[in-house]
Amino acid sequence: MRITIRVRPGSAHPGVGGEHAGALVVRVSARAVDGKATEAALAAVAGAFAVRRSAVTLVSGASSRTKIIDVATGDPRILVELLTKPSHG
């Protein structure tokens, strides 16, 4: 399942949920340095979808806050739940 995420690095309240311009919001505590925020975001998405980290791959947007990722065996119902979850921060 291919989805668009919007990464918010340096968040005091990390989590996955909410929507920004159609993208799933992923808040991570890691800063946007040396790919740390991207890696933290991919791991957070894997946790939210209850899949292994290796099942989540970056398709595009390595240096952008908006990224396209693939979630192997991702459940579309979980995506809907996450998008409608209130976003904090």
Side-chain angles (χ1 to χ4, degrees):
M1 175 173 61
R2 188 162 286 191
I3 60 174
T4 302
I5 62 171
R6 175 74 178 184
V7 179
R8 293 199 176 146
S11 176
H13 304 284
V16 179
E19 180 261 335
H20 174 86
L24 177 63
V25 175
V26 181
R27 295 172 312 284
V28 296
S29 56
R31 297 279 172 197
V33 178
D34 296 330
K36 288 185 170 81
T38 297
E39 181 53 40
L42 297 178
V45 169
F49 280 90
V51 298
R52 291 178 186 254
R53 164 58 190 91
S54 60
V56 180
T57 54
L58 179 66
V59 175
S60 69
S63 59
S64 171
R65 287 186 185 210
T66 302
K67 303 176 186 307
I68 298 173
I69 62 171
D70 268 333
V71 181
T73 68
D75 186 337
R77 292 172 297 184
I78 294 174
L79 177 60
V80 171
E81 288 175 19
L82 291 171
L83 285 168
T84 56
K85 187 175 172 183
S87 179
H88 302 96

